[in-house]
């Protein structure tokens, strides 16, 4: 599975961004997908995931109510809609995929290259 993340950029606090993750190489629908992020000098952090069926979605408490994950099977693409952005959301965001569970305690098998999100105060 190859993953290509895009959509990062610079936004003011309170603003919105939508990240995309295009998947290729294998049957996209057979994989759970998700997002991690890493801020400078900090540990990598689980952001959220969406199951292969799209029926199960979960988020880290730090983004719950502000971020929304979705996927478009026809376009082989997953999205991360980020609203009410805060300076502490500044990080490199990575999309991930795995046939097994995706969570904070398990490193997914496949990683995209990352896209930078910077939120100014």
């Amino acid at each position: 599975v190859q993953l290509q993340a895009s959509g990062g950029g610079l936004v003011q606090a309170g603003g919105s961004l939508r990240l995309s993750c295009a998947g290729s190489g294998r049957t996209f629908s057979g994989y759970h997908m998700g997002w991690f992020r890493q801020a400078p000098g900090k540990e990598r952090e689980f952001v959220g995931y969406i199951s292969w069926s799209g029926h199960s979605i979960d988020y880290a408490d730090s983004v719950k109510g502000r971020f929304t994950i979705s996927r478009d099977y026809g376009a082989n693409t997953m999205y991360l809609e980020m609203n009410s952005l805060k300076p502490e959301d500044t990080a490199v965001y990575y999309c991930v995929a795995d046939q097994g569970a995706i969570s904070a305690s398990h490193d997914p098998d496949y990683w995209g290259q990352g896209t930078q999100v910077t939120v100014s105060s």
Side-chain angles (χ1 to χ4, degrees), residues 16 22-23 30 35 39-40 47 52 56 58 64 72 74 102 105 116:
S16 299
W35 296 91
V47 174
W52 67 269
S56 180
D58 195 22
K64 214 169 271 187
D72 181 337
I102 292 176
S105 58
Q116 176 71 47

Side-chain angles (χ1 to χ4, degrees), residues 3 21 32-36 78 94-98 102 108 110-112:
L3 303 172
C21 176
H32 304 303
M33 299 191 72
W35 296 91
F36 281 72
M78 173 183 63
Y94 299 90
C95 61
V96 299
D98 200 310
I102 292 176
Y110 302 98
W111 291 75

Side-chain angles (χ1 to χ4, degrees), residues 70-88:
S70 61
R71 58 194 298 175
D72 181 337
Y73 294 91
N76 273 5
T77 301
M78 173 183 63
Y79 302 99
L80 178 65
E81 186 76 35
M82 304 184 294
N83 298 312
S84 302
L85 282 162
K86 305 175 182 180
E88 51 264 43

Side-chain angles (χ1 to χ4, degrees), residues 11-50:
V11 64
Q12 288 189 329
S16 299
L17 275 177
R18 188 176 79 158
L19 305 184
S20 299
C21 176
S24 62
R26 291 208 178 170
T27 305
F28 180 79
S29 61
Y31 287 78
H32 304 303
M33 299 191 72
W35 296 91
F36 281 72
R37 68 185 182 185
Q38 187 163 24
K42 293 191 176 181
E43 297 275 322
R44 192 169 58 206
E45 178 186 18
F46 167 79
V47 174
Y49 95 102
I50 182 167

